[in-house]
Amino acid sequence: MRNNSHKRDGCEAGLAKSRCSFGALPSWPGRALTGVLLSLCCALAHAQDLPRTAAGKPDLQGIWKAQASAVEGLETAAAKGNMQSVLALVTGGNIPYKEAAAQQRQANFNDRLAADPLNHCFLPSVPRIMSLDYPYQIFQDGDELAMTFQWTQVYRHIPINDKPSLYEGVEAWMGRSRGHWEGDTLVVEVRDFNDRSWLDASGNFHSAALNVTERYKMVDANTIHYEATLTDPEVFTQPWTLSYDLQRQSGQVRLMEFQCQAEKEELSGDFERDERTWYPAPIPPENAPFDASASGNLPPPQVTGAIRRRPDGTPDISGYFMADAGGANYGLETSQGGFLTPAARGVVVDPDHGGLPYQVWARAEKDERVLPQRGYDDPTAHCFVAGLPRSHYVPSPFYIIQTSDYVVMLHERMAWRQISLKRTTPLPDEVRLWQGDSLGHWEGDTLVVDSSNFNGKTWLNEAGDVISHMEKLRETYTPVSENRVIYRATVSDPIVYTRPWTIEIPLDRSEDEILEVACLEDNGDLQHLKDVRDEYRAAQKSN
């Protein structure tokens, strides 16, 4: 049973604040009336104590984690095999399966180690993602909300309005979410699931007919009560509900990354370490000196029209964007293309000759990476996170959520990036991330972002342009009209280059919504790339 002492304490504090007091009434009706009035006053005081947005709704922003584990199972069960004992999170204790579905659930349980999609690092779906033993962060602004999850950088984008989805009926692992407020409760309807995910590690499952209704009720500043009602007429005899609390993780500076598939492949040796670029590789002794002062002073982008603004006057760069990248994912320099890569127009604006200022060894490495036997080494071929600045010009859109404290980017290839506008201290040096650690601030109408703490595991594109863990990145986002932002990225990396260099790419906004690209789940090309690499290595060994 949930401990409600925090509610009583909060009520008493609220009563004191609101000065709710009633004199002693001698008669029974008077005492009853006093109790009713106290309850009403307590509820009002509690509601006033909740953190709230400018619009008056509960402010759910922060880092949260489920206080009850539904990882092993949703129903009460004794420990068996590799499973711990669990207490039911399901109202009533049991999931109301149809007879045939109950048999399928048992078959799933028997084959759970091989069959559980989560053991293959696939997307967990809803509501399973909400109860994993990993934290997640909520960002809330106006009529939209985003959740970013530490587990494999999954995210959810939840519009809070009456607009229907542009892609109703398009199935997805994570479904499609739409929210609305019922008083102080956020209600989220999730539908358009595929039938490939599980609800837990015990084999509980659903069909593509699943609908989930979530309710997020803020109990106090540090607790959200979460409920999810699941309706699936193909699998269950009736709707059923699970519930638990989410607790604020107040001690975390920021949400970290856990790249499930990358960690798995590094452990098995399928994704091999590059000793020259991965943290903490040193600067090669044969390198030419790095000239940090060589970067040119580019003129600011030219503003061509009115720009959108937020209520506080800062530019509004939120929304759906697609980069006019000119093939940057196939080369940052001008290129006619090759055996495996299309042509690229070139996006390097400094140095002004358009070439990257490579160290000698790094240029040779880049030239080798375009060979067929190196295709397997590109991390994005494994569906790993693209890194920076590549995340902007991988040929797929992204969506920006902007709050007063953060700019958050949701990439269609199922990855997120957060830019903190309030934190000024970078992470400790030993903390290394695929997307780095980004700190931003506004300089006039330009968002300036400095990023560090990269792990050095990414490539800059399919043409093999090289980057290392010593990358320091300064980006600027300058809105030049209502629907265009000029993006510049200046890279400093003394392991790979002789001086800093800068690229420039327009980002165009449109009225669209992000879809789900579940790369790993349907990655049919990776094995072919591995076969090409292994055949080449075998031939080299035999010669």
Side-chain angles (χ1 to χ4, degrees):
M1 181 176 293
R2 193 180 300 111
N3 186 337
N4 290 317
S5 62
H6 62 286
K7 293 185 181 179
R8 292 194 299 271
D9 294 343
C11 179
E12 290 168 3
L15 286 172
K17 279 185 182 179
S18 59
R19 300 178 183 175
C20 290
S21 62
F22 305 92
L25 297 176
S27 65
W28 180 87
R31 289 195 300 272
L33 178 60
T34 300
V36 171
L37 292 174
L38 281 170
S39 296
L40 291 173
C41 187
C42 177
L44 177 62
H46 169 67
Q48 291 172 339
D49 281 346
L50 296 177
R52 293 187 179 272
T53 66
K57 296 301 182 183
D59 189 344
L60 307 179
Q61 295 186 99
I63 299 177
W64 303 88
K65 188 177 179 183
Q67 286 301 100
S69 176
V71 175
E72 303 282 16
L74 299 174
E75 301 170 296
T76 298
K80 64 172 69 174
N82 67 324
M83 310 288 287
Q84 299 182 53
S85 299
V86 292
L87 293 176
L89 299 179
V90 178
T91 302
N94 297 109
I95 298 173
Y97 277 105
K98 290 186 171 182
E99 183 176 351
Q103 295 174 5
Q104 180 60 54
R105 189 265 189 189
Q106 185 60 48
N108 289 347
F109 179 83
N110 295 341
D111 194 31
R112 61 191 180 279
L113 293 181
D116 184 352
L118 212 67
N119 291 342
H120 299 276
C121 300
F122 294 170
L123 300 182
S125 193
V126 177
R128 189 177 188 182
I129 186 67
M130 303 302 297
S131 63
L132 295 183
D133 196 25
Y134 295 88
Y136 41 90
Q137 189 160 0
I138 297 177
F139 304 90
Q140 185 179 349
D141 187 69
D143 61 354
E144 60 185 351
L145 182 145
M147 297 181 183
T148 59
F149 296 85
Q150 186 164 300
W151 194 89
T152 306
Q153 289 194 271
V154 181
Y155 64 79
R156 297 178 62 189
H157 179 215
I158 306 175
I160 309 175
N161 54 45
D162 297 326
K163 295 179 182 178
S165 169
L166 298 176
Y167 302 103
E168 294 287 346
V170 177
E171 293 181 357
W173 284 81
M174 298 296 292
R176 188 160 301 283
S177 299
R178 283 291 186 276
H180 66 273
W181 289 98
E182 294 182 0
D184 280 350
T185 298
L186 175 65
V187 180
V188 181
E189 302 288 349
V190 196
R191 53 178 58 89
D192 292 339
F193 292 95
N194 64 29
D195 62 357
R196 300 171 63 184
S197 66
W198 286 9
L199 300 174
D200 58 20
S202 293
N204 288 304
F205 73 105
H206 62 87
S207 77
L210 174 69
N211 285 342
V212 178
T213 300
E214 301 175 292
R215 293 181 175 272
Y216 298 81
K217 175 68 173 179
M218 209 164 199
V219 176
D220 56 41
N222 296 312
T223 311
I224 297 173
H225 184 64
Y226 175 79
E227 290 185 357
T229 299
L230 287 74
T231 303
D232 186 341
E234 295 186 11
V235 176
F236 311 122
T237 60
Q238 63 186 44
W240 56 276
T241 299
L242 60 86
S243 63
Y244 46 84
D245 284 348
L246 313 178
Q247 192 71 28
R248 187 185 298 276
Q249 307 297 291
S250 57
Q252 287 198 229
V253 174
R254 58 154 287 171
L255 199 67
M256 298 299 179
E257 301 173 350
F258 176 73
Q259 280 292 314
C260 173
Q261 186 66 15
E263 297 296 333
K264 186 176 177 181
E265 290 192 29
E266 286 180 40
L267 187 63
S268 69
D270 290 331
F271 184 57
E272 299 174 340
R273 177 180 176 84
D274 186 331
E275 295 293 344
R276 296 169 299 184
T277 62
W278 288 28
Y279 179 80
I283 297 175
E286 68 273 17
N287 265 18
F290 184 77
D291 185 359
S293 65
S295 183
N297 294 315
L298 297 171
Q302 183 177 359
V303 177
T304 59
I307 63 175
R308 301 185 188 184
R309 294 190 182 275
R310 292 168 56 81
D312 64 2
T314 56
D316 182 349
I317 60 170
S318 63
Y320 176 101
F321 285 89
M322 188 74 187
D324 177 12
N329 193 49
Y330 312 111
L332 298 177
E333 302 167 307
T334 302
S335 169
Q336 299 302 312
F339 175 65
L340 293 175
T341 56
R345 73 163 182 250
V347 294
V348 178
V349 293
D350 180 39
D352 57 12
H353 56 69
L356 293 174
Y358 272 113
Q359 298 283 352
V360 173
W361 74 267
R363 173 66 73 176
E365 168 66 10
K366 187 269 180 190
D367 291 342
E368 184 180 308
R369 286 182 177 184
V370 299
L371 300 175
Q373 65 269 19
R374 295 297 304 278
Y376 180 78
D377 297 335
D378 180 356
T380 65
H382 299 247
C383 299
F384 301 163
V385 181
L388 296 173
R390 188 178 182 181
S391 288
H392 293 79
Y393 51 78
V394 169
S396 62
F398 57 96
Y399 198 96
I400 296 178
I401 302 286
Q402 183 179 352
T403 75
S404 58
D405 293 343
Y406 290 93
V407 172
V408 183
M409 298 180 179
L410 310 177
H411 297 276
E412 194 168 72
R413 279 173 55 103
M414 196 46 71
W416 53 262
R417 178 210 182 177
Q418 64 169 242
I419 300 167
S420 175
L421 301 179
K422 295 295 177 68
R423 183 163 56 91
T424 58
T425 304
L427 295 176
D429 183 71
E430 62 270 20
V431 179
R432 295 289 166 155
L433 307 170
W434 286 84
Q435 297 285 71
D437 183 39
S438 298
L439 307 178
H441 64 277
W442 289 97
E443 293 184 3
D445 286 343
T446 295
L447 176 64
V448 180
V449 184
D450 290 300
S451 300
S452 59
N453 295 78
F454 294 97
N455 60 23
K457 299 175 183 179
T458 62
W459 285 17
L460 286 172
N461 44 44
E462 290 185 19
D465 280 316
V466 187
I467 199 72
S468 85
H469 72 91
M470 283 193 180
E471 172 189 8
K472 301 290 185 185
L473 182 65
R474 167 157 283 205
E475 301 162 290
T476 59
Y477 299 80
T478 305
V480 294
S481 65
E482 185 176 9
N483 291 315
R484 172 162 280 201
V485 173
I486 298 301
Y487 171 73
R488 288 178 178 172
T490 299
V491 174
S492 297
D493 185 344
I495 287 182
V496 180
Y497 300 100
T498 61
R499 53 158 287 181
W501 50 269
T502 301
I503 61 172
E504 178 177 302
I505 297 173
L507 309 177
D508 293 319
R509 174 166 35 202
S510 62
E511 294 300 320
D512 207 333
E513 64 184 81
I514 209 81
L515 286 168
E516 173 188 288
V517 176
C519 173
L520 177 64
E521 288 79 339
D522 297 296
N523 189 3
D525 294 331
L526 186 62
Q527 186 59 49
H528 170 70
L529 293 173
K530 186 176 188 300
D531 291 343
V532 171
R533 185 202 68 174
D534 291 348
E535 289 173 10
Y536 173 81
R537 288 183 175 182
Q540 291 295 106
K541 186 177 291 187
S542 63
N543 290 338

Short mmCIF file of all heavy atoms in Angstrom, two decimals, residues 230-260:
data_model
loop_
_atom_site.label_atom_id
_atom_site.label_comp_id
_atom_site.label_asym_id
_atom_site.label_seq_id
_atom_site.Cartn_x
_atom_site.Cartn_y
_atom_site.Cartn_z
N LEU A 230 -5.00 -0.44 -20.60
CA LEU A 230 -4.75 -1.09 -21.88
C LEU A 230 -6.02 -1.75 -22.40
O LEU A 230 -6.67 -2.52 -21.68
CB LEU A 230 -3.64 -2.15 -21.75
CG LEU A 230 -2.21 -1.62 -21.58
CD1 LEU A 230 -1.98 -1.04 -20.19
CD2 LEU A 230 -1.19 -2.70 -21.88
N THR A 231 -6.35 -1.44 -23.64
CA THR A 231 -7.51 -2.02 -24.30
C THR A 231 -7.05 -2.68 -25.59
O THR A 231 -6.42 -2.02 -26.44
CB THR A 231 -8.56 -0.94 -24.63
OG1 THR A 231 -8.94 -0.27 -23.43
CG2 THR A 231 -9.78 -1.55 -25.29
N ASP A 232 -7.31 -3.97 -25.71
CA ASP A 232 -6.90 -4.71 -26.90
C ASP A 232 -7.88 -5.88 -27.08
O ASP A 232 -7.69 -6.96 -26.50
CB ASP A 232 -5.47 -5.23 -26.76
CG ASP A 232 -4.95 -5.89 -28.03
OD1 ASP A 232 -5.77 -6.28 -28.88
OD2 ASP A 232 -3.71 -6.05 -28.16
N PRO A 233 -8.94 -5.71 -27.86
CA PRO A 233 -9.98 -6.75 -27.98
C PRO A 233 -9.50 -8.03 -28.63
O PRO A 233 -10.19 -9.05 -28.53
CB PRO A 233 -11.06 -6.06 -28.82
CG PRO A 233 -10.36 -4.96 -29.55
CD PRO A 233 -9.26 -4.50 -28.64
N GLU A 234 -8.35 -8.00 -29.28
CA GLU A 234 -7.84 -9.21 -29.90
C GLU A 234 -7.10 -10.10 -28.90
O GLU A 234 -6.93 -11.30 -29.13
CB GLU A 234 -6.91 -8.87 -31.07
CG GLU A 234 -7.63 -8.18 -32.23
CD GLU A 234 -6.72 -7.99 -33.43
OE1 GLU A 234 -5.60 -8.56 -33.44
OE2 GLU A 234 -7.13 -7.26 -34.35
N VAL A 235 -6.65 -9.54 -27.79
CA VAL A 235 -5.84 -10.28 -26.82
C VAL A 235 -6.49 -10.36 -25.45
O VAL A 235 -6.41 -11.40 -24.78
CB VAL A 235 -4.43 -9.63 -26.70
CG1 VAL A 235 -3.59 -10.33 -25.64
CG2 VAL A 235 -3.72 -9.67 -28.05
N PHE A 236 -7.18 -9.31 -25.01
CA PHE A 236 -7.74 -9.26 -23.66
C PHE A 236 -9.27 -9.30 -23.70
O PHE A 236 -9.90 -8.82 -24.65
CB PHE A 236 -7.27 -7.99 -22.94
CG PHE A 236 -5.78 -7.76 -23.02
CD1 PHE A 236 -5.27 -6.59 -23.57
CD2 PHE A 236 -4.90 -8.72 -22.57
CE1 PHE A 236 -3.91 -6.37 -23.65
CE2 PHE A 236 -3.53 -8.53 -22.65
CZ PHE A 236 -3.03 -7.36 -23.20
N THR A 237 -9.84 -9.84 -22.66
CA THR A 237 -11.30 -9.92 -22.57
C THR A 237 -11.93 -8.61 -22.16
O THR A 237 -13.12 -8.38 -22.38
CB THR A 237 -11.72 -11.01 -21.56
OG1 THR A 237 -11.18 -10.67 -20.27
CG2 THR A 237 -11.21 -12.38 -21.99
N GLN A 238 -11.15 -7.73 -21.55
CA GLN A 238 -11.64 -6.43 -21.10
C GLN A 238 -10.45 -5.51 -20.87
O GLN A 238 -9.30 -5.97 -20.75
CB GLN A 238 -12.44 -6.57 -19.82
CG GLN A 238 -11.62 -7.07 -18.64
CD GLN A 238 -12.47 -7.33 -17.41
OE1 GLN A 238 -13.54 -7.91 -17.50
NE2 GLN A 238 -11.99 -6.88 -16.26
N PRO A 239 -10.66 -4.19 -20.81
CA PRO A 239 -9.56 -3.28 -20.48
C PRO A 239 -9.03 -3.56 -19.07
O PRO A 239 -9.76 -4.04 -18.20
CB PRO A 239 -10.21 -1.90 -20.55
CG PRO A 239 -11.41 -2.09 -21.42
CD PRO A 239 -11.90 -3.48 -21.13
N TRP A 240 -7.77 -3.28 -18.84
CA TRP A 240 -7.16 -3.45 -17.52
C TRP A 240 -6.15 -2.33 -17.30
O TRP A 240 -5.69 -1.70 -18.24
CB TRP A 240 -6.53 -4.83 -17.37
CG TRP A 240 -5.51 -5.17 -18.42
CD1 TRP A 240 -5.75 -5.67 -19.67
CD2 TRP A 240 -4.09 -5.02 -18.32
NE1 TRP A 240 -4.57 -5.85 -20.36
CE2 TRP A 240 -3.54 -5.47 -19.56
CE3 TRP A 240 -3.23 -4.57 -17.33
CZ2 TRP A 240 -2.16 -5.46 -19.82
CZ3 TRP A 240 -1.85 -4.56 -17.57
CH2 TRP A 240 -1.34 -5.02 -18.80
N THR A 241 -5.82 -2.12 -16.02
CA THR A 241 -5.02 -0.95 -15.64
C THR A 241 -3.83 -1.36 -14.78
O THR A 241 -3.94 -2.25 -13.93
CB THR A 241 -5.88 0.06 -14.86
OG1 THR A 241 -6.95 0.50 -15.71
CG2 THR A 241 -5.06 1.27 -14.43
N LEU A 242 -2.70 -0.73 -15.03
CA LEU A 242 -1.54 -0.85 -14.13
C LEU A 242 -1.21 0.53 -13.61
O LEU A 242 -1.52 1.54 -14.24
CB LEU A 242 -0.35 -1.48 -14.85
CG LEU A 242 0.23 -0.78 -16.09
CD1 LEU A 242 1.26 0.28 -15.73
CD2 LEU A 242 0.88 -1.81 -17.02
N SER A 243 -0.58 0.59 -12.43
CA SER A 243 -0.28 1.89 -11.85
C SER A 243 0.91 1.81 -10.91
O SER A 243 1.17 0.76 -10.31
CB SER A 243 -1.50 2.44 -11.09
OG SER A 243 -1.82 1.60 -9.99
N TYR A 244 1.62 2.91 -10.80
CA TYR A 244 2.74 3.06 -9.86
C TYR A 244 3.14 4.53 -9.85
O TYR A 244 2.60 5.34 -10.63
CB TYR A 244 3.94 2.18 -10.27
CG TYR A 244 4.30 2.23 -11.74
CD1 TYR A 244 5.11 3.22 -12.25
CD2 TYR A 244 3.83 1.25 -12.62
CE1 TYR A 244 5.44 3.26 -13.59
CE2 TYR A 244 4.15 1.28 -13.96
CZ TYR A 244 4.96 2.29 -14.44
OH TYR A 244 5.28 2.32 -15.77
N ASP A 245 4.08 4.88 -8.99
CA ASP A 245 4.52 6.26 -8.87
C ASP A 245 5.84 6.46 -9.61
O ASP A 245 6.68 5.56 -9.72
CB ASP A 245 4.72 6.65 -7.41
CG ASP A 245 3.39 6.90 -6.70
OD1 ASP A 245 2.36 6.99 -7.38
OD2 ASP A 245 3.41 6.99 -5.46
N LEU A 246 6.02 7.68 -10.10
CA LEU A 246 7.29 8.13 -10.67
C LEU A 246 7.91 9.11 -9.67
O LEU A 246 7.22 10.00 -9.16
CB LEU A 246 7.07 8.83 -12.01
CG LEU A 246 6.17 8.13 -13.03
CD1 LEU A 246 6.03 8.98 -14.28
CD2 LEU A 246 6.69 6.75 -13.35
N GLN A 247 9.20 8.95 -9.41
CA GLN A 247 9.88 9.79 -8.42
C GLN A 247 10.90 10.69 -9.11
O GLN A 247 11.66 10.24 -9.97
CB GLN A 247 10.59 8.92 -7.37
CG GLN A 247 11.08 9.70 -6.16
CD GLN A 247 9.94 10.17 -5.26
OE1 GLN A 247 8.88 9.55 -5.21
NE2 GLN A 247 10.14 11.27 -4.56
N ARG A 248 10.91 11.96 -8.73
CA ARG A 248 11.89 12.90 -9.28
C ARG A 248 13.29 12.50 -8.87
O ARG A 248 13.55 12.20 -7.69
CB ARG A 248 11.59 14.32 -8.81
CG ARG A 248 12.47 15.37 -9.48
CD ARG A 248 12.22 16.75 -8.90
NE ARG A 248 10.85 17.20 -9.11
CZ ARG A 248 10.41 17.80 -10.22
NH1 ARG A 248 11.23 17.97 -11.24
NH2 ARG A 248 9.15 18.20 -10.31
N GLN A 249 14.23 12.52 -9.81
CA GLN A 249 15.64 12.21 -9.54
C GLN A 249 16.40 13.53 -9.39
O GLN A 249 17.04 14.02 -10.33
CB GLN A 249 16.21 11.35 -10.68
CG GLN A 249 15.40 10.10 -10.99
CD GLN A 249 15.35 9.14 -9.83
OE1 GLN A 249 16.36 8.53 -9.47
NE2 GLN A 249 14.17 8.97 -9.24
N SER A 250 16.33 14.10 -8.22
CA SER A 250 16.83 15.46 -8.01
C SER A 250 18.34 15.56 -8.01
O SER A 250 18.89 16.64 -8.19
CB SER A 250 16.27 16.02 -6.69
OG SER A 250 16.62 15.17 -5.61
N GLY A 251 19.05 14.45 -7.83
CA GLY A 251 20.50 14.52 -7.74
C GLY A 251 21.22 14.44 -9.06
O GLY A 251 22.45 14.53 -9.11
N GLN A 252 20.51 14.27 -10.18
CA GLN A 252 21.16 14.09 -11.48
C GLN A 252 21.36 15.42 -12.17
O GLN A 252 20.44 16.23 -12.31
CB GLN A 252 20.32 13.18 -12.38
CG GLN A 252 20.37 11.72 -11.95
CD GLN A 252 19.91 10.79 -13.06
OE1 GLN A 252 19.09 9.93 -12.83
NE2 GLN A 252 20.46 10.94 -14.24
N VAL A 253 22.61 15.67 -12.63
CA VAL A 253 22.93 16.90 -13.35
C VAL A 253 22.24 16.92 -14.70
O VAL A 253 21.73 17.94 -15.16
CB VAL A 253 24.46 17.04 -13.50
CG1 VAL A 253 24.80 18.24 -14.37
CG2 VAL A 253 25.12 17.17 -12.15
N ARG A 254 22.23 15.76 -15.38
CA ARG A 254 21.58 15.64 -16.67
C ARG A 254 21.30 14.17 -16.94
O ARG A 254 21.84 13.28 -16.26
CB ARG A 254 22.44 16.20 -17.82
CG ARG A 254 23.80 15.58 -17.99
CD ARG A 254 24.32 15.69 -19.42
NE ARG A 254 23.59 14.77 -20.31
CZ ARG A 254 23.70 14.78 -21.64
NH1 ARG A 254 24.48 15.68 -22.24
NH2 ARG A 254 23.04 13.91 -22.38
N LEU A 255 20.47 13.90 -17.90
CA LEU A 255 20.20 12.54 -18.32
C LEU A 255 21.38 12.02 -19.11
O LEU A 255 21.91 12.71 -19.99
CB LEU A 255 18.94 12.49 -19.18
CG LEU A 255 18.26 11.13 -19.33
CD1 LEU A 255 17.68 10.67 -18.00
CD2 LEU A 255 17.15 11.22 -20.37
N MET A 256 21.82 10.81 -18.81
CA MET A 256 22.95 10.22 -19.52
C MET A 256 22.47 9.35 -20.69
O MET A 256 21.30 9.35 -21.04
CB MET A 256 23.80 9.40 -18.54
CG MET A 256 24.41 10.23 -17.43
SD MET A 256 25.52 11.52 -18.05
CE MET A 256 26.00 12.30 -16.52
N GLU A 257 23.40 8.62 -21.30
CA GLU A 257 23.09 7.73 -22.42
C GLU A 257 23.38 6.29 -22.02
O GLU A 257 24.36 6.02 -21.34
CB GLU A 257 23.96 8.06 -23.64
CG GLU A 257 23.85 9.45 -24.19
CD GLU A 257 24.88 9.69 -25.29
OE1 GLU A 257 25.81 8.85 -25.47
OE2 GLU A 257 24.80 10.72 -25.95
N PHE A 258 22.52 5.38 -22.45
CA PHE A 258 22.86 3.97 -22.44
C PHE A 258 22.48 3.41 -23.80
O PHE A 258 21.31 3.20 -24.09
CB PHE A 258 22.15 3.20 -21.34
CG PHE A 258 22.44 1.71 -21.40
CD1 PHE A 258 23.68 1.23 -21.02
CD2 PHE A 258 21.49 0.82 -21.87
CE1 PHE A 258 23.96 -0.14 -21.10
CE2 PHE A 258 21.76 -0.54 -21.94
CZ PHE A 258 23.00 -1.02 -21.56
N GLN A 259 23.48 3.21 -24.65
CA GLN A 259 23.25 2.69 -25.99
C GLN A 259 23.33 1.17 -25.93
O GLN A 259 24.40 0.57 -26.02
CB GLN A 259 24.29 3.26 -26.95
CG GLN A 259 23.98 4.66 -27.42
CD GLN A 259 22.75 4.69 -28.31
OE1 GLN A 259 22.60 3.88 -29.22
NE2 GLN A 259 21.87 5.64 -28.05
N CYS A 260 22.18 0.54 -25.80
CA CYS A 260 22.09 -0.91 -25.57
C CYS A 260 22.85 -1.71 -26.63
O CYS A 260 23.71 -2.53 -26.31
CB CYS A 260 20.62 -1.32 -25.55
SG CYS A 260 20.31 -3.10 -25.48
#
